[in-house]
Amino acid sequence: MIRTLTGLIIVLILGAVAAAVVPEMQMREELQGVGYSYASRGMDDTGSSNLVTAVIVAYRGLDTLGEVVVLFCASTAVVLILTLYPIGMKASEPSRVVAFTAKVLPAPILLFGVYFIAHSHISPGGGFPGGTVIASVFLLVMLGSSSVPDGKGRLSAIESLAGLSFGLLGFWGIMTVGQFLNNAFLGTGTPGTLVSGGLIPLISIAIGAKVASEFSGVFKAFRNTGGTV
Amino acid sequence: MSTAFYWSIAGTAAGLVLVGLWGVLTRKHILRIALAFTLADTGANLLLVWSGYLPGRTAPIVDGTFPASGIASAVVDPLPQAMVLTSIVIGVAVAALFVVVGVLASRRTGSADVRRMKELRW
């Protein structure tokens, strides 16, 4: 009772704050500041016709590197905890529907994920969503079989290689033009074509591989019955 | 997009944050608290995307439907969308950690009821 009342009071106070603050955020008619700069120069600067990807991978590539590190820390913590204290979800015999789906769907979903990553600079998508789509294939295959796959450390190897290549791509910029994660030193190509956007496609592939292997490792850890990730 | 729809998005976003907060404060099952937390997370993300909206504009992807010289007057703000992508990924990481710690704590106490997790009290 006290719990409900306290919750109600706090939510009401914050609701009043939101009701006062949010209407102040008037609809803008024109882009301003950084947003204007990104929108007007983004395509010429980076060669990426997807401006969101241009911001994430090129303009704020260092932030994205930090984000990848945060994700790495969280997934490592999850896998570590689940390895030390296995929750031992028994891999039961999958139903016929799941087993059939796990045979039919992986190929198209995998293709979709790879497309998502490879086309991140010209259409909606990117390394993070694409990597998650690929990890969902791993989850589907795992749910469709009664045994847990033993990765023999390959997932960790892919993850480490992907993270390393992200950093090395950044250092490539230092070696050539003296700027970490410089995007344009290879040339940016014609925006809208597959080979364009400077380093963006390469970094997207690295991010995609890293996210896919990390999430796959987390999924596997939830079914931990021993064996290396 | 009409003004009513524009403000209803803001209302939905603020509502999701409040409902999530309500759930975190009042629920007892630890997985429900985790779910409520992700609801609040979604609300915050929606509010960020909403703040980058400009009337009558399209997604920030140059696809030939508008002249490349007038990009800045044809697309919505790409910056909040990029920020939200970061926010979503961090949200997933936090939620995964939340669930794992929650499952462990419930194994330890034999119950998913947070009132029984006396070790977590302060």
Side-chain angles (χ1 to χ4, degrees), chain B residues 96-117:
Chain B
L97 211 54
F98 199 147
V99 168
V100 169
V101 173
V103 169
L104 266 188
S106 62
R107 280 288 158 96
R108 228 183 155 93
T109 55
S111 159
D113 191 333
V114 286
R115 287 170 302 181
R116 293 207 187 175
M117 297 176 184

Side-chain angles (χ1 to χ4, degrees), chain A residues 3 8 14-15 25 27-31 35-36 38-39 43 49 51 56 67 70 74 78 81 85 87 128 222, chain B residues 6-7 18 21-22 26-27 51 54-55 57 60-62 71-72 77 79 85-86 89-90 93 100 104 107:
Chain A
R3 183 196 197 87
L8 198 64
L14 276 164
M25 298 168 69
M27 205 191 299
R28 291 174 294 165
E29 296 293 327
E30 290 299 326
L31 287 175
Y36 176 82
Y38 285 159
M43 198 171 82
S49 45
L51 297 173
I56 292 171
E67 183 189 353
V70 171
V78 169
I81 292 173
Y85 308 98
I87 57 177
F128 290 102
F222 269 98
Chain B
Y6 176 73
W7 288 110
L18 291 176
L21 193 72
W22 163 258
T26 61
R27 294 302 100 183
S51 74
L54 286 96
R57 298 201 179 191
I61 294 169
V62 188
I71 299 172
D77 200 339
L79 188 59
L85 188 106
T86 309
V89 174
I90 303 304
V100 169
L104 266 188
R107 280 288 158 96

Side-chain angles (χ1 to χ4, degrees), chain B residues 26-45:
Chain B
T26 61
R27 294 302 100 183
K28 285 142 199 142
H29 194 289
I30 194 148
L31 286 183
R32 285 184 186 225
I33 295 177
L35 272 180
F37 170 79
T38 57
L39 267 189
D41 208 35
T42 311
N45 291 338

Side-chain angles (χ1 to χ4, degrees), chain A residues 15-206:
Chain A
V17 171
V21 171
V22 172
E24 293 296 314
M25 298 168 69
Q26 284 301 323
M27 205 191 299
R28 291 174 294 165
E29 296 293 327
E30 290 299 326
L31 287 175
Q32 295 132 359
V34 189
Y36 176 82
S37 172
Y38 285 159
S40 54
R41 295 171 41 199
M43 198 171 82
D44 295 331
D45 277 357
T46 65
S48 162
S49 45
N50 183 344
L51 297 173
V52 178
T53 307
V55 174
I56 292 171
V57 181
Y59 287 120
R60 300 188 175 224
L62 191 64
D63 295 1
T64 305
L65 187 58
E67 183 189 353
V68 167
V69 172
V70 171
L71 194 62
F72 171 72
C73 287
S75 76
T76 308
V78 169
V79 172
L80 182 72
I81 292 173
L82 287 177
T83 312
L84 289 179
Y85 308 98
I87 57 177
M89 272 196 271
K90 284 280 169 286
S92 54
E93 197 63 35
S95 76
R96 283 176 65 191
V97 177
V98 175
F100 180 73
T101 313
K103 281 195 185 73
V104 176
L105 277 185
I109 299 179
L110 202 60
L111 184 67
F112 180 60
V114 171
Y115 170 86
F116 235 42
I117 293 172
H119 288 236
S120 65
H121 52 305
I122 48 182
S123 63
F128 290 102
T132 313
V133 169
I134 292 177
S136 76
V137 173
F138 185 89
L139 181 63
L140 184 64
V141 170
M142 206 171 65
L143 289 178
S145 82
S146 49
S147 61
V148 181
D150 184 8
K152 297 193 180 69
R154 273 175 294 204
L155 276 177
S156 312
I158 294 173
E159 188 182 330
S160 311
L161 273 178
L164 193 66
S165 51
F166 195 161
L168 287 179
L169 284 169
F171 274 108
W172 195 5
I174 290 190
M175 304 304 281
T176 48
V177 291
Q179 188 189 16
F180 187 67
L181 275 173
N182 184 294
N183 181 56
F185 63 86
L186 283 178
T188 53
T190 314
T193 53
L194 191 58
V195 184
S196 67
L199 280 190
I200 289 177
L202 297 177
I203 294 177
S204 285
I205 291 170

